[in-house]
Amino acid sequence: MPPDRSRLLRPQPVLALLAVLAVACIVVFMTIDARGKWSFVLTFRGTKVAAMVLVAYAVAVSTVLFQTITSNRILTPSVMGFDLLYRLIQSALVAGLGAGAVVQLDPRLRFGCEVAAMLLFSGLLYRWLFFGGRRSLHLLMLVGIVFGVLFRSLTAFLQRIIDPNEFLVVQDRMFASFNRVDGSLLAVSAVIVLAVSVVGWRWIRTFDVLALGREAAINLGIDHQRAVMGILVLVAILVSVSTALVGPVTFFGLLVANLAYLLIRSHQHRFILPAAVLVAVVTLVGGQLVLERVFAFNSALSIVIEFVGGLFFLFILVRGSTR
Amino acid sequence: MRPLIPAAAAVGALAVASLFIGVGDLPVGALLAGAPSDEAVQLLLVSRIPRTLALVLAGAAMAVSGLILQMLARNKFVEPSTAGTSESAIFGMTLTTLLLPDIPVLARMLVAGGFALGGTGLFLAILRQVPLRSPLVVPLVGIMLGGVITAMTEFIAYRYDLMQSVRAWETGDFSGVLRGRYELLWIGFVLTGMAYVAADRFTVAGLGQDFTTNLGLNYRRVLSLGLTIVSLVTAAVIATCGMIPFLGLIVPNVVSLLLGDNMRRSLPWVTLLGAGLVLACDMLGRIVIHPYEIPIGTMMGVIGSGLFLYLLLRKNSHAA
C-alpha cells in the first residue's frame, strides 16, 4: 500500500465517520414513520435495535478474532458447525415435542439449553484436539466441519419424518430473525457479551501479536496455545449467544470483517474491532430499514445479508485478496 | 488383478441381497422354483432391480468422481461435496425448477451439470490464487464456497417455497427409485467408462501442469475432460437420488492407503468399493428401522463422518 494513501485514510476519522453513520441509522430507524404513542414505539423498536446491535457486535468481534488466530480472511467461526448444531436442536425439539409444544416452551429455558449445548460441543472439540497433542487449527476446523455434516445429516433425517406443517415452524427458525427477540433474553445476552468483552479487552494487544502468526508470536513471548485457547473460548461464547438469540448467520461476519479490513488501513485490533462492529451495525440496522421501508419485506433480512455476504465472499476470493 | 474377482463376487452378493430386502414380501423359494406370482415379478422388475442398479451405478460413479477430483485438485480431502460441485448442481436444479418447470429431466440434469462445472471450475481457479496451500486449507476453501452457494440456493428456495425440494436433493435417498426414474444414472456409467479409458492421463495430470506438459499432454484438455465427467456424474446422481456425502472422499482414500496412487490400478477397486459401500449402507438403512427406512444420505453422513475423522486424525495424516 502506498504511504501517502495510508496517511489519507487514517483510522480515527474513518472510525468517527462510521460511528456517525451507525448512530444516524439507529436514530432514523427509531423515529421514521412513527405513529401512535412514543413510549410504545420506542420500546418496540428499541428491543429490535438492541438485538441487532448485540448480534452485530458478537458476530463482528468473533469473526475478526477467529480470522486473527487462523491467519485467514475467508473463514468464519460458524464453519465449525455451530449453526448446523443449532438447526439440529431446533429440528430435534419439533420432532420430539411437536411444533405446538415448542412454540409454548419457555424461551429462557430454550435459550439456556441451546447456549449450553453449543458451548459443550465447542468445549469438547477444543479440549479433545488441543490436549491430545495435535495442535493444528486447520485440523480443528475440518473436524468441526465434519461434525457439521453429521449434524446436517441428522437434521435432514428429522426433517423428513416431521409433518410438513410442523416443518414450517422449524423452517422459520432456520433463518435469523430480529422480529421475535425476547426482551429478558436480550438482557441476559447483553450481560454475557459484556462480561466476555471486559475479559477480552485486556488482551487487545495480544491479538495484534497473534496476528503475526504462530512462530512470531511465540518468539515475542506469547504463550500461543493459551492465548489461542482463550480466544476460541471467547468466540464460542459470542457465537453461541448470538445464534441462540436470533438464529444462525454465516456470511454476515465475513462481510463485515472484510469491509473493516478494507476501510481501516491498520493491523491494530483497537481500530479493526470497533470498525467491524460499526460496519455490522450499519449493515444490520440500515439493511432492516431499507428492507422494511423501501421493499416492504419483513423477516428476510438475514437471508438477504447471507446472499449479499456470499456474493461478496466470492468477489474477494476471485479478486485474490486472500491471505 | 486376481483378488478383484472375489471382491466383485462379494459386491454381486450384496446386490443380490439388496433385491430381497424391503417392505413388500418377495418369496425367494417361489422365484427359484420358477413359479413366482405376478405380483412378485412386478415388485422385482419395477422396484427392486431398478433400485439395486441405481445403487451400484451411483456408488461406483460417485467414488470414481471423487478420485478424479482428487487427482485434478491434487488434494486427498477433495470430493464433489467439498469442492462446491454438489452445491452448484443443487443451485442449478433449483433455478431450473423455478424458471423452466416443464423441461424434461435430462435437460434439467444437463443444466445442473453445467452449474456444477462452473462451481468446480471456480473452486480450482480460487485454489490457484491461494498462495499457501496447506492440505487442510483446500477442503476448507471448497466447503466455504459450497456454503456460499447453498446460501444463495436457500435464499431463492425460501422466497419461492422450494425448501423441501432442496432438502430432498441435499439428502441422498433411493426409496423413490423405480423403473423409469433411475435411467439417468446410465449416463454416469458411460462417463465412468470414459474415466477408465483416460485413467493414465488423470494420473499424469495429478503430478501437476508442468509435468503433464513435459510429457506432451494437453493439461487443459485433461482438466476439462475430468471436470466434465465429475460435474455430469454429480448432477445425474443428485437429479436421481440426491447428494451422497463423503462417498467420493472415503473410498478413494481407503484404496489409496492400500494400493497407492496409480489410477489405472486403483480404478477397479474404487468402482467396486464405491458400489459395495453404497449397497451396504442402503441395506443397513432399510433394516435398522424396518418397515421404515433411513435415507442413505443420513447413513453415509454418519458413517462417512466417522471414517473421515479417522483419516484426518491418523498419526501421519499430513502424508495423506
Side-chain angles (χ1 to χ4, degrees), chain B residues 84-94 112-113 115-116 149 231 234-235 238:
Chain B
T85 315
S86 304
E87 289 81 359
S88 309
I90 292 175
F91 184 55
M93 295 283 289
T94 311
F115 274 86
I149 295 165
S231 303
T234 308
I238 286 178

Side-chain angles (χ1 to χ4, degrees), chain B residues 43-265:
Chain B
L43 182 63
L44 202 60
L45 289 181
V46 176
S47 167
R48 297 290 168 75
I49 290 178
R51 180 171 188 156
T52 304
L53 278 174
L55 287 165
V56 170
L57 292 174
M62 283 310 281
V64 170
S65 297
L67 179 63
I68 296 176
L69 211 50
Q70 284 169 19
M71 291 283 177
L72 298 179
R74 304 178 69 190
N75 185 293
K76 286 269 180 233
F77 295 127
V78 166
E79 68 125 10
S81 69
T82 61
T85 315
S86 304
E87 289 81 359
S88 309
I90 292 175
F91 184 55
M93 295 283 289
T94 311
L95 281 187
T96 46
T97 308
L98 195 65
L99 301 176
L100 306 161
D102 297 327
I103 60 169
V105 190
L106 179 65
R108 185 175 298 176
M109 180 220 123
L110 288 177
V111 175
F115 274 86
L117 192 62
T120 323
L122 185 62
F123 168 70
L124 292 177
I126 292 166
L127 277 194
R128 233 170 277 134
Q129 299 197 340
V130 178
L132 273 176
R133 275 179 55 178
S134 131
L136 296 174
V137 169
V138 175
L140 280 178
V141 169
I143 289 165
M144 288 298 282
L145 180 67
V148 170
I149 295 165
T150 303
M152 298 202 287
T153 308
E154 291 192 345
F155 171 73
I156 295 166
Y158 182 82
R159 291 292 292 159
Y160 296 97
D161 265 335
L162 286 170
M163 282 303 275
Q164 274 189 319
S165 303
V166 171
R167 291 270 179 265
W169 294 320
E170 281 175 353
T171 317
D173 181 9
F174 286 86
S175 62
V177 171
L178 294 172
R179 188 170 62 194
R181 294 228 193 120
Y182 81 102
E183 281 75 3
L184 274 184
L185 287 175
W186 287 107
I187 298 175
F189 178 73
V190 174
L191 293 164
T192 313
M194 284 171 67
Y196 266 93
V197 175
D200 291 329
R201 287 158 198 264
F202 292 129
T203 307
V204 174
L207 298 169
Q209 179 163 14
D210 296 339
F211 195 89
T212 311
T213 314
N214 274 343
L215 287 182
L217 272 179
N218 186 332
Y219 181 73
R220 297 196 70 84
R221 201 175 294 160
V222 178
L223 194 71
S224 351
L225 174 68
L227 287 185
T228 309
I229 293 178
V230 171
S231 303
L232 287 177
V233 163
T234 308
V237 171
I238 286 178
T240 310
C241 59
M243 193 167 136
I244 310 174
F246 289 129
L247 179 64
L249 192 119
I250 301 302
V251 172
N253 270 294
V254 169
V255 172
S256 144
L257 278 178
L258 301 172
L259 289 175
D261 284 338
N262 182 333
M263 193 161 153
R264 166 124 358 250
R265 207 151 65 104

Side-chain angles (χ1 to χ4, degrees), chain A residues 13 17 121 142 195 217 234 303 306 323:
Chain A
L17 199 70
F121 162 67
L142 264 185
L234 285 187
I303 303 177
E306 291 293 272
R323 280 200 307 182

Side-chain angles (χ1 to χ4, degrees), chain A residues 287-299:
Chain A
Q288 185 80 21
L289 191 64
V290 171
L291 282 186
E292 277 183 15
R293 303 295 154 189
V294 182
F295 296 107
F297 245 36
N298 226 328
S299 62

Side-chain angles (χ1 to χ4, degrees), chain B residues 16-45 48:
Chain B
V16 172
S18 160
L19 291 176
F20 296 101
I21 294 176
V23 181
D25 210 24
L26 200 63
V28 187
L31 276 179
L32 288 179
S37 62
D38 282 352
E39 247 173 89
V41 173
Q42 281 290 316
L43 182 63
L44 202 60
L45 289 181
R48 297 290 168 75

